[in-house]
């Protein structure tokens, strides 16, 4: 019931073109530690489509999801630009990394499988993430192949590295487990996985973020630049962590203008 209210609250005009789908109707191939946790997508289709779509991965330290301010509340902004918004409710990994990553990859494939029906260009599907959701988004951008790989990435105050010296400890422990191997920590430090075929990126964070060190996003940008991947880095003077689309964020209007400008540039 709460989900229905959430979807309808975005905009009465959008409600007719909004629906939810169970991501694994036949059952997920990899189970999490919580059998009751179900992966879903909430789909918002624009009335006039440009063919572009964005898969949105809310944050929450791989322990919970900020489903509104980092998910469904973005549908209106994207739909008004003619962009389909698909919000992913991914399962919490509980130390089994394949759970959340598998959900995100399946959601990307789902969008492309339904490209004709949803009036989407299969070659113009991006991914947007927030905090730990940005780690998930950048994992697909740097690890995934074929239909699971996004064409562009949008990252807000991202967790990028799994290096214990710089990572967000909760995200690290919840994704890889408290006894993660050095091999996995390096493999899922996504700044170390950037190549020349990593998709273009837009990155935003606050200089005074004391939850996720700004070095995460800055180092990722540096590696994108070093590998000739088009990228745009926006560091706002204040705001801390977790502002999402909240208008109370001091630089909210500037943020929205800069993101819209970037999305219209390619």
């Amino acid at each position: 019931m709460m989900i229905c209210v959430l979807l309808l609250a975005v905009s009465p005009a959008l409600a007719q073109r909004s629906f939810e789908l169970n991501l694994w109707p036949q059952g997920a191939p990899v189970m999490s530690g919580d059998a009751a946790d179900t992966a879903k997508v909430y789909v918002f289709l624009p009335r006039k489509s440009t063919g572009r779509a964005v898969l949105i991965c809310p944050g929450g330290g791989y322990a919970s999801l900020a489903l509104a301010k980092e998910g469904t509340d973005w549908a209106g902004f994207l739909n008004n630009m003619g962009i389909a918004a698909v919000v992913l409710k991914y399962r919490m990994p509980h130390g089994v990394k394949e759970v959340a990553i598998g959900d995100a990859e399946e959601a990307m494939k789902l969008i492309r499988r339904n490209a004709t029906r949803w009036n989407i260009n299969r070659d113009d599907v991006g991914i947007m993430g927030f905090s730990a959701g940005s780690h998930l988004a950048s994992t697909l951008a740097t690890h995934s192949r074929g239909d699971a790989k996004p064409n562009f990435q949008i990252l807000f105050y991202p967790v990028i590295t799994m290096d214990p010296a710089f990572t967000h400890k909760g995200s690290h422990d919840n994704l890889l487990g408290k006894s993660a191997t050095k091999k996995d920590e390096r493999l899922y430090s996504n700044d170390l996985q950037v190549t020349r075929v990593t998709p273009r990126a837009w990155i935003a964070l606050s200089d005074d973020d004391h939850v996720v060190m700004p070095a995460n996003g800055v180092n990722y940008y540096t590696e994108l630049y070093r590998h000739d991947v088009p990228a745009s880095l926006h560091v706002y003077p204040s705001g801390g962590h977790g502002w999402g689309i909240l208008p109370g964020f001091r630089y909210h209007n500037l943020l929205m203008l800069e993101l819209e400008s970037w999305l219209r540039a390619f």
Side-chain angles (χ1 to χ4, degrees):
M1 183 65 180
M2 286 182 64
I3 293 299
C4 293
V5 172
L6 182 65
L7 294 179
L8 293 173
V10 175
S11 164
L14 294 175
Q16 296 175 0
R17 304 193 49 89
S18 306
F19 51 92
E20 87 177 54
L21 296 172
N22 187 335
L23 192 61
W24 302 104
Q26 307 303 319
V30 179
M31 298 304 293
S32 72
D34 182 359
D37 193 5
T38 303
K40 297 180 180 180
V41 290
Y42 307 109
V43 182
F44 301 85
L45 302 179
R47 292 190 176 278
K48 294 184 179 180
S49 175
T50 61
R52 177 168 287 176
V54 172
L55 175 66
I56 305 174
C57 303
Y62 283 121
S64 62
L65 295 179
L67 198 58
K69 69 175 181 176
E70 296 178 354
T72 54
D73 287 354
W74 283 90
F77 169 77
L78 293 169
N79 282 180
N80 286 339
M81 295 181 65
I83 301 171
V86 180
V87 181
L88 173 61
K89 177 190 173 292
Y90 55 92
R91 294 170 297 151
M92 299 301 99
H94 301 289
V96 183
K97 59 185 178 296
E98 293 83 3
V99 169
I101 295 170
D103 287 353
E105 289 194 327
E106 178 62 17
M108 288 294 295
K109 293 175 184 178
L110 176 71
I111 293 171
R112 290 189 165 113
R113 285 199 301 269
N114 287 279
T116 300
R117 183 182 308 172
W118 295 351
N119 197 16
I120 289 170
N121 177 355
R122 290 173 49 88
D123 298 318
D124 198 7
V125 182
I127 194 164
M128 175 189 286
F130 300 79
S131 194
S134 281
H135 182 267
L136 185 56
S138 62
T139 296
L140 264 64
T142 53
H143 290 71
S144 300
R145 300 291 180 266
D147 283 350
K149 188 181 183 70
N151 299 108
F152 58 91
Q153 52 184 318
I154 301 167
L155 310 178
F156 290 83
Y157 34 87
V159 176
I160 293 293
T161 184
M162 288 288 115
D163 181 339
F166 294 100
T167 191
H168 175 251
K169 187 176 186 302
S171 298
H172 170 284
D173 292 354
N174 290 325
L175 180 69
L176 301 180
K178 294 181 179 180
S179 301
T181 65
K182 294 295 183 183
K183 179 180 179 181
D184 272 353
E185 288 177 342
R186 181 175 179 80
L187 182 60
Y188 292 99
S189 291
N190 294 330
D191 52 326
L192 303 181
Q193 308 307 322
V194 172
T195 70
R196 291 180 181 272
V197 298
T198 299
R200 69 176 68 217
W202 189 91
I203 306 165
L205 52 91
S206 294
D207 183 62
D208 64 348
D209 189 338
H210 300 301
V211 176
V212 174
M213 295 175 67
N216 280 257
V218 173
N219 290 345
Y220 192 57
Y221 169 80
T222 300
E223 288 303 311
L224 292 166
Y225 177 83
R226 197 168 71 83
H227 287 85
D228 296 322
V229 176
S232 180
L233 175 64
H234 303 260
V235 181
Y236 301 106
S238 62
H241 188 82
W243 22 268
I245 200 172
L246 295 177
F249 174 50
R250 184 173 182 177
Y251 303 96
H252 172 79
N253 291 339
L254 176 61
L255 159 75
M256 303 302 273
L257 286 171
E258 290 178 334
L259 178 54
E260 180 178 352
S261 210
W262 183 79
L263 283 166
R264 293 191 187 281
F266 62 95

